[in-house]
Amino acid sequence: MGVPWNRLKKLAPTAMLLLLMLQVPLFSITISNRTVDTPIAVVITQLCHPIWLPPVLLSAVLYPGELARHVGTALLDGDVAAALRLPAWQSVLEQYEKPFDGLEDPTDPGLPLLRLELVVGSYFAVGGAIAAMFRAARMPLLGFLLLLWGLLRPVLLPHTYPDPSKVQPPSIQPLFFIGLLLSFLLLPTDGASSKKTVKPATIKVDTATAKAEKKTN
């Protein structure tokens, strides 16, 4: 059992990064004026208004997921020729041009906190997935737990919203729980990252000196 478990832990960082960078739909929720379904979509939306990073860098982060969706949709439709045509680089950021104004929208009471949980969870999930490529990390698990709470809160605690009728229940895709499982595999095991081995100090005694002191005594 030890060998398969170790292999899973070695593959988990790459699998988690691919799951997020390819923008596999993990959930679906409408916040204010937009429907989001991946942590990357939430993070990029926050970085686009205002633009904190160069648009070229944002497009580079989004393009793998856009390409995967384009090819997957074309193949499901049976259009192989369309799958071979790459999506335009300039069109990647078009869907993010409209501001993501969930915090300022007075018609959506209760959504700001939900949005905050999704935003913080998405940042932790994406940032933790990148950090996990170099060492074991707890951030992805914290991010996925925050996302899970943000998605389930409208269902479990609808009374916390001023007008529950305006809050649409989110949907969680099965692959979300795959990501949650991967985040568990990214945790440090047995405190290996913080455990330090301390070697006992060895004291060397000169035998000749010890014998001389013994005779004098």
Side-chain angles (χ1 to χ4, degrees):
M1 291 295 293
V3 175
W5 179 257
N6 290 334
R7 289 180 180 176
L8 284 176
K9 288 190 68 66
K10 289 180 180 179
L11 294 175
T14 304
M16 173 67 81
L17 192 63
L18 289 176
L19 184 70
L20 297 180
M21 294 303 296
L22 294 180
Q23 297 185 55
V24 178
L26 303 180
F27 50 83
S28 179
I29 185 170
T30 301
I31 305 177
S32 186
N33 56 6
R34 180 166 302 146
T35 299
V36 293
D37 57 4
T38 65
I40 287 285
V42 179
V43 171
I44 295 298
T45 302
Q46 292 295 310
L47 296 177
C48 280
H49 301 280
I51 297 180
W52 295 99
L53 296 175
V56 176
L57 181 58
L58 298 179
S59 297
V61 174
L62 289 171
Y63 197 80
E66 187 70 20
L67 178 61
R69 292 194 181 194
H70 169 76
V71 173
T73 303
L75 291 179
L76 288 176
D77 295 338
D79 192 349
V80 180
L84 297 177
R85 292 193 297 267
L86 299 180
W89 178 272
Q90 296 79 6
S91 63
V92 175
L93 283 176
E94 286 182 356
Q95 58 178 324
Y96 298 92
E97 290 178 353
K98 191 176 181 181
F100 193 66
D101 53 1
L103 285 177
E104 297 82 15
D105 191 350
T107 64
D108 291 341
L111 282 178
L113 181 58
L114 175 61
R115 173 182 178 263
L116 179 62
E117 293 161 352
L118 286 175
V119 169
V120 176
S122 297
Y123 271 100
F124 276 31
V126 176
I130 297 174
M133 294 297 295
F134 305 98
R135 56 176 300 175
R138 297 178 176 87
M139 285 177 60
L141 178 59
L142 180 58
F144 270 85
L145 291 178
L146 282 172
L147 286 170
L148 184 62
W149 170 244
L151 294 169
L152 293 181
R153 195 168 73 92
V155 180
L156 300 177
L157 301 173
H159 60 277
T160 59
Y161 294 87
D163 190 354
S165 62
K166 292 185 178 180
V167 180
Q168 297 182 359
S171 64
I172 302 177
Q173 304 298 330
L175 285 175
F176 180 90
F177 298 100
I178 299 296
L180 186 61
L181 175 61
L182 290 174
S183 66
F184 275 103
L185 293 175
L186 296 178
L187 291 174
T189 55
D190 301 329
S193 60
S194 59
K195 189 183 294 184
K196 295 182 179 179
T197 57
V198 180
K199 295 182 178 180
T202 57
I203 303 175
K204 296 181 179 179
V205 180
D206 189 352
T207 54
T209 305
K211 290 180 179 180
E213 291 179 354
K214 188 175 181 181
K215 288 181 180 182
T216 55
N217 293 334

